[in-house]
Amino acid sequence: MDKIKNVVFDLGGVLVGIDLNRCIAAFRKLGMDAVAEIINPYYPAEMIGRLEHGDITFHEACNQMRALSGTPEVTDDEIARAYGEFLTEIPVAKLRQIDDLRRRGFRTYVLSNNNTASMEYVRRMFTADGKTMDDYFDAVYLSYELHELKPSEAIFRKMIAASGMIPEETLFIDDGQKNVDAAQALGFSVYMPAYGEDFGHVLENLNSYEESL
């Protein structure tokens, strides 16, 4: 196996802290219990899945949420804030770990199931250490822009084609078992951190970790 040259990160649950209960509570506070019941941070379904697939706009998704929950008075902004409650923070230590990878010559990427509203929150979080999100990655691949969702093989194929990365030279870090399994089937080295885990040791000893796989 060749040495690792690239690292691909998921966002929520890997770089960005998540709190599903806080998000569910925010939707329930809006009277949108039916929406709260379908929120799944790993494998989005119904209108959230269509939104993150890039098939509908955020406003169209909000209309479908309002129809589902019978809450026509809830605004798009209120829904965006409720969904944003799912995201907590990006520890500065993680940002500096990515910086360190880049200084050591590794290429870094993001592959995330996401949507336009959440990405506004995420991009602001990446400024915590005085930089922007684009400073940390060679490229950011988002489901709603690629019109594919993890764990489909197609989203990985599109990332490979766009970046030129070789899976056997790439470590994929994701907290979803199906996503990790899909990447591994394509030849990626994989790591699935536990909830809240500091996986800095993996990054610090990257090729030592890779050789042990």
Side-chain angles (χ1 to χ4, degrees), residues 33-47:
D33 289 6
V35 176
E37 293 295 331
I38 63 170
I39 294 172
N40 185 320
Y42 298 104
Y43 313 111
E46 298 192 34
M47 78 289 293

Side-chain angles (χ1 to χ4, degrees), residues 127-157:
T127 65
D129 202 27
K131 298 185 178 183
T132 70
M133 186 174 184
D134 293 335
D135 293 323
Y136 292 101
F137 303 105
D138 290 82
V140 175
Y141 298 106
L142 303 170
S143 59
Y144 67 90
E145 294 177 341
L146 297 177
H147 298 284
E148 302 289 350
L149 286 168
K150 292 182 295 183
S152 72
E153 179 178 325
I155 195 169
F156 289 96
R157 294 289 186 194

Side-chain angles (χ1 to χ4, degrees), residues 92-165:
V92 168
K94 284 190 176 180
L95 298 178
R96 293 178 179 174
Q97 287 167 355
I98 300 170
D99 262 342
D100 182 61
L101 281 178
R102 293 171 70 78
R103 281 193 297 270
R104 289 157 56 198
F106 294 98
R107 291 186 292 272
T108 55
Y109 301 89
V110 161
L111 181 65
S112 175
N113 289 346
N114 226 302
N115 63 77
T116 53
S118 290
M119 282 307 299
E120 289 185 17
Y121 287 90
V122 169
R123 288 190 179 277
R124 288 200 293 270
M125 290 178 182
F126 269 96
T127 65
D129 202 27
K131 298 185 178 183
T132 70
M133 186 174 184
D134 293 335
D135 293 323
Y136 292 101
F137 303 105
D138 290 82
V140 175
Y141 298 106
L142 303 170
S143 59
Y144 67 90
E145 294 177 341
L146 297 177
H147 298 284
E148 302 289 350
L149 286 168
K150 292 182 295 183
S152 72
E153 179 178 325
I155 195 169
F156 289 96
R157 294 289 186 194
K158 286 187 176 183
M159 176 181 69
I160 292 166
S163 66
M165 69 176 62

Side-chain angles (χ1 to χ4, degrees), residues 189-210:
S189 296
V190 298
Y191 187 78
M192 189 173 75
Y195 179 79
E197 177 187 346
D198 177 3
F199 53 88
H201 63 286
V202 174
L203 304 181
E204 290 166 7
N205 303 288
L206 194 52
N207 282 311
S208 296
Y209 164 74
E210 178 265 338

